[in-house]
């Protein structure tokens, strides 16, 4: 990961809102979302031995403008309380380390079933 790449951070103790633009298959244009489309997110620990933390089955909200292709992931402050954060050592200025990955299961009329992933999620 380069230093210029923004990190996907979840802040504990606060409501977190993330907006994703779903792109049409093979295009840079947003996909037209239909009211019956579903998007469900799971926050999965990167450590396969960790089965106690994470979040599952979070439904993403559909926008009022379905042509925009934007869906919203809301994670409540209460849901963040059990999430784990990982920090580096003092000599490395306590940098945050990724702990989770985000998997969004998408069921759409215009593009069928597919999965979107965010490979590194940081918690601070």
């Amino acid at each position: 990961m380069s230093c210029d790449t923004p990190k996907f951070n979840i802040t504990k103790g606060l409501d977190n809102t993330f907006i994703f633009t779903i792109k049409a298959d093979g295009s840079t244009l947003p996909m037209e979302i239909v009211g019956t489309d579903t998007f469900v997110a799971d926050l999965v620990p990167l450590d396969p031995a960790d089965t106690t933390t994470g979040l599952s089955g979070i439904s993403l909200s559909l926008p009022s403008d379905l042509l925009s292709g934007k869906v919203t992931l809301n994670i409540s402050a209460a849901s963040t309380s059990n999430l784990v954060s990982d920090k580096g050592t003092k000599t490395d200025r306590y940098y945050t380390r990724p702990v989770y990955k985000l998997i969004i299961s998408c069921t759409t009329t215009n593009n069928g079933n597919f999965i979107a992933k965010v490979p590194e999620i940081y918690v601070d």
Side-chain angles (χ1 to χ4, degrees):
M1 176 183 226
S2 77
C3 294
D4 296 328
T5 305
K7 294 179 182 178
F8 192 107
N9 282 316
I10 295 175
T11 304
K12 288 176 79 166
L14 296 175
D15 291 333
N16 292 263
T17 301
F18 304 100
I19 299 172
F20 297 94
T21 301
I22 307 299
K23 304 288 179 152
D25 197 19
S27 173
T28 57
L29 299 173
M31 182 178 73
E32 182 179 345
I33 297 174
V34 178
T36 58
D37 292 352
T38 60
F39 302 88
V40 179
D42 294 317
L43 195 61
V44 180
L46 290 175
D47 181 2
D50 184 1
T51 59
T52 59
T53 63
L55 302 171
S56 62
I58 306 169
S59 294
L60 279 72
S61 309
L62 299 181
S64 56
D65 175 18
L66 297 176
L67 295 175
S68 71
K70 294 184 180 187
V71 294
T72 305
L73 171 62
N74 293 305
I75 302 174
S76 68
S79 296
T80 64
S81 64
N82 291 330
L83 296 179
V84 175
S85 61
D86 191 14
K87 305 240 185 246
T89 62
K90 181 178 180 179
T91 56
D92 292 328
R93 296 186 173 178
Y94 300 110
Y95 66 92
T96 56
R97 295 179 183 164
V99 182
Y100 300 98
K101 62 183 170 183
L102 181 69
I103 300 172
I104 303 173
S105 301
C106 309
T107 303
T108 64
T109 301
N110 293 328
N111 202 37
N113 298 336
F114 60 96
I115 293 175
K117 296 180 184 178
V118 179
E120 294 181 334
I121 306 294
Y122 298 81
V123 178
D124 58 4

